[in-house]
């Protein structure tokens, strides 16, 4: 990264030069680190939508062009040619693994999938009807009470061990949360299955009979995980970095990210899209809801169409579109009214001039909700699955931050609009 030019801020006759920094791709950035010291001013940017909080080499998004890169590789190419374990290695290490490195990494993850037996008792402290995200938040945070040998963030080896443990144990914990919610026994992971096969086995298998994992569904799960593995400095990733900036252990930081992801504005988009399909109900009601979505005075909004970041087609949606069709073919559920509504709504949105002009294309949440519903996941499990996929991105971002010598503890400023200093008045003298 190089400093190319400067911008100037003038105030009352004085002129301050602010360096402009340029990354490998993307917008230039004005370096304001010395702004307060030289001018006495802070900047005001609610939601940090125009502020770069860090320097990162992990993920790049160009929302206008519909581009998403992991370490420089396009998301559609990775989804087509790679697998989730390889993408995990890439995000953590910066390069694709050799065959030997990949085999070693896969083994390390596979042999960390079991959780401490005492941790399984932790689940009994939750109500059976608790939301899985509440359970997962608590259990992941509690990992630091069981794995003391990987909480020293200043030890590079311990950071690697913690990273592997989190990636490996998250499917086990999430499957356990699901099993607990429906009153079924926990299923131990199997070392002969790959990452996604193992997760589906632990989620849907039962001890009383063999469970055959569909290769089509396992591949679909793999693609969902790849597409959700990282997404630059979003709300939950920023939460992980902010928690990590204080020196908190990695398990606590990931628990913080899970808590942030739980918010419906962040991790609940695919659930909202599915709820919308259920609200529409049948194909014959689609024109009614299309008209409602075009009416500015109607509160109804089409969920799963358009994206805050992508002003063009969501690059992940095309992959999910094909995957959704494969899953529906495998399960033979095309006649389900919900999926008929989804397919017809997709057709209209891709061809209706109103949606095309406003670039309200189906996004990744629209298709992933359809896939997960078809696979048998209840809507309450959608956000936990998002957390499972995003864990590697959170860890990669956290590790990058810990290794960055310029990183400081996060301390955002504010524009204070409360009362100025005032004197205390005794209670008997207040009006």
């Amino acid at each position: 990264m190089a400093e190319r030019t400067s911008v100037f801020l003038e105030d009352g006759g004085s002129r301050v030069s602010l360096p402009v920094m340029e990354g490998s791709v993307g917008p230039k950035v004005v370096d304001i680190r010395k702004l307060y010291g030289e001018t006495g001013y802070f900047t005001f940017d609610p939601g940090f939508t125009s502020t770069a909080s860090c320097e990162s080499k992990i993920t790049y998004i160009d929302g206008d062009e519909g581009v998403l890169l992991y370490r420089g590789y396009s998301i559609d190419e990775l989804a087509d040619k790679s697998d989730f374990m390889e993408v995990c290695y890439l995000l953590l290490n910066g390069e694709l693994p050799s065959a030997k490195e990949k085999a070693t990494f896969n083994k390390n993850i596979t042999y960390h999938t079991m959780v401490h037996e005492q941790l399984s008792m932790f689940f009994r402290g939750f109500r059976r009807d608790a939301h899985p995200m509440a359970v997962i938040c608590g259990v992941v945070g509690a990992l630091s009470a069981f794995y003391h040998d990987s909480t020293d963030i200043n030890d590079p080896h311990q950071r690697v061990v913690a990273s592997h443990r989190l990636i490996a144990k998250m499917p086990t914990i999430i499957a356990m949360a699901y099993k607990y919610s429906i009153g079924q026994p926990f299923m131990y992971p199997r070392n002969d299955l790959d990452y996604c096969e193992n997760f589906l086995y632990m989620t849907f298998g039962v001890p009383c009979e063999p469970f055959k994992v569909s290769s089509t569904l396992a591949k679909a799960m793999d693609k969902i995980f790849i597409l959700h593995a990282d997404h630059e400095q979003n709300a939950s990733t920023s939460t992980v970095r902010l928690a990590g900036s204080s020196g908190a252990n990695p398990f606590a930081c990931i628990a913080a990210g899970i808590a942030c992801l739980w918010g419906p504005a962040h991790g609940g988009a695919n659930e909202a899209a599915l709820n919308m399909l259920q609200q529409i109900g049948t194909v014959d009601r689609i024109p009614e809801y299309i008209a409602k979505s075009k009416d500015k005075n109607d509160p109804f909004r089409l969920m799963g169409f358009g994206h805050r970041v992508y002003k063009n087609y969501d690059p992940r949606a095309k992959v999910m579109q094909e995957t959704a069709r494969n899953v529906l073919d495998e399960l033979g559920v095309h006649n389900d009214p919900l999926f008929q509504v989804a397919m017809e709504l997709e057709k209209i949105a891709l061809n209706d001039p109103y949606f095309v002009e406003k670039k309200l294309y189906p996004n990744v949440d629209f298709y992933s909700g359809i896939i997960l519903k078809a696979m048998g996941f209840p809507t309450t499990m959608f956000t936990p699955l998002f957390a499972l996929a995003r864990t590697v991105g959170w860890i990669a971002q956290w590790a990058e931050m810990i290794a960055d010598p310029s990183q400081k503890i996060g301390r955002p400023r504010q524009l204070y609009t409360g009362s100025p200093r005032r004197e205390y008045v005794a209670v008997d003298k207040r009006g």
Side-chain angles (χ1 to χ4, degrees):
M1 183 174 62
E3 294 183 6
R4 298 288 297 277
T5 56
S6 296
V7 296
F8 298 94
L9 178 67
E10 295 188 5
D11 177 50
S14 62
R15 195 178 194 217
V16 178
S17 173
L18 300 172
V20 172
M21 308 175 78
E22 187 172 359
S24 51
V25 289
K28 297 177 182 178
V29 176
V30 179
D31 184 351
I32 60 168
R33 282 175 287 186
K34 296 182 179 179
L35 178 65
Y36 177 70
E38 296 186 6
T39 68
Y41 290 141
F42 293 142
T43 56
F44 186 65
D45 182 22
F48 308 111
T49 56
S50 297
T51 300
S53 61
C54 63
E55 176 187 340
S56 181
K57 295 179 172 65
I58 300 172
T59 303
Y60 173 72
I61 297 171
D62 185 334
D64 293 330
E65 296 299 324
V67 172
L68 172 59
L69 307 178
Y70 291 169
R71 299 286 192 177
Y73 295 96
S74 66
I75 189 65
D76 51 343
E77 188 174 20
L78 288 172
D80 181 47
K81 300 177 180 178
S82 188
D83 59 64
F84 184 61
M85 281 293 91
E86 187 172 68
V87 168
C88 287
Y89 185 97
L90 171 67
L91 289 172
L92 291 173
N93 298 286
E95 300 293 340
L96 290 169
S98 65
K100 182 179 180 180
E101 288 169 336
K102 184 177 180 181
T104 301
F105 181 76
N106 286 353
K107 183 179 179 181
N108 286 339
I109 299 302
T110 298
Y111 283 85
H112 272 115
T113 51
M114 286 186 65
V115 297
H116 194 290
E117 190 65 19
Q118 193 173 340
L119 190 70
S120 64
M121 301 177 189
F122 200 81
F123 286 83
R124 298 179 186 176
F126 297 98
R127 287 171 54 114
R128 293 276 180 180
D129 61 353
H131 195 288
M133 286 296 281
V135 177
I136 294 161
C137 240
V139 173
V140 171
L143 290 175
S144 57
F146 290 86
Y147 301 105
H148 305 139
D149 59 342
S150 56
T151 57
D152 183 356
I153 65 171
N154 297 310
D155 183 338
H157 175 70
Q158 289 196 32
R159 294 202 299 267
V160 171
V161 172
S163 300
H164 290 178
R165 280 176 169 162
L166 279 161
I167 294 168
K169 296 180 193 307
M170 194 63 73
T172 310
I173 290 169
I174 290 175
M176 291 171 79
Y178 173 68
K179 287 296 194 184
Y180 184 77
S181 72
I182 60 174
Q184 289 186 0
F186 299 144
M187 298 292 287
Y188 286 100
R190 284 172 44 186
N191 293 343
D192 62 315
L193 299 177
D194 69 25
Y195 192 83
C196 293
E197 290 172 341
N198 213 358
F199 174 63
L200 292 174
Y201 165 76
M202 290 188 289
T203 303
F204 296 118
V206 290
C208 50
E209 62 185 21
F211 180 78
K212 172 68 175 173
V213 180
S214 162
S215 60
T216 299
L217 301 189
K219 288 177 182 177
M221 198 88 266
D222 193 81
K223 290 187 186 299
I224 288 176
F225 290 167
I226 290 174
L227 298 177
H228 290 86
D230 197 44
H231 212 235
E232 218 185 73
Q233 306 306 316
N234 53 74
S236 58
T237 299
S238 298
T239 299
V240 170
R241 279 183 173 265
L242 191 61
S245 73
S246 73
N249 72 73
F251 304 109
C253 294
I254 301 307
I258 292 170
C260 181
L261 186 70
W262 192 2
H266 188 11
N270 50 12
E271 183 175 348
L274 196 70
N275 290 338
M276 176 204 67
L277 294 176
Q278 292 171 333
Q279 181 182 350
I280 295 173
T282 55
V283 171
D284 61 290
R285 298 188 66 192
I286 290 178
E288 171 193 347
Y289 281 91
I290 291 290
K292 288 164 70 73
S293 71
K294 296 178 182 179
D295 183 355
K296 293 181 180 179
N297 298 318
D298 194 301
F300 176 79
R301 293 291 178 266
L302 281 179
M303 306 302 294
F305 293 83
H307 196 280
R308 179 183 176 185
V309 172
Y310 298 109
K311 307 308 177 187
N312 207 316
Y313 197 77
D314 183 341
R316 303 168 296 173
K318 186 176 181 181
V319 178
M320 279 289 89
Q321 181 187 50
E322 181 183 351
T323 303
R325 281 163 170 69
N326 292 339
V327 169
L328 296 182
D329 287 341
E330 170 79 6
L331 298 174
V333 294
H334 289 92
N335 293 328
D336 186 296
L338 188 72
F339 302 123
Q340 288 182 337
V341 169
M343 295 302 101
E344 183 62 24
L345 196 58
E346 174 201 41
K347 188 187 304 181
I348 292 173
L350 291 174
N351 294 282
D352 188 306
Y354 175 86
F355 293 101
V356 173
E357 180 184 341
K358 294 184 176 294
K359 298 182 178 179
L360 296 175
Y361 303 112
N363 61 34
V364 68
D365 300 309
F366 176 78
Y367 293 112
S368 62
I370 295 170
I371 294 169
L372 296 177
K373 173 68 174 176
M375 292 172 71
F377 288 101
T379 53
T380 54
M381 284 295 293
F382 287 8
T383 310
L385 288 167
F386 193 163
L388 195 169
R390 185 57 55 85
T391 294
V392 65
W394 289 333
I395 294 168
Q397 299 274 352
W398 168 81
E400 182 181 63
M401 180 208 65
I402 295 297
D404 183 356
S406 68
Q407 188 66 34
K408 301 177 180 179
I409 185 171
R411 181 59 172 87
R413 299 295 189 166
Q414 66 175 12
L415 175 63
Y416 178 68
T417 55
S419 299
R421 183 186 178 96
R422 48 185 172 172
E423 298 299 322
Y424 178 82
V425 178
V427 65
D428 59 339
K429 295 182 180 180
R430 297 172 199 163

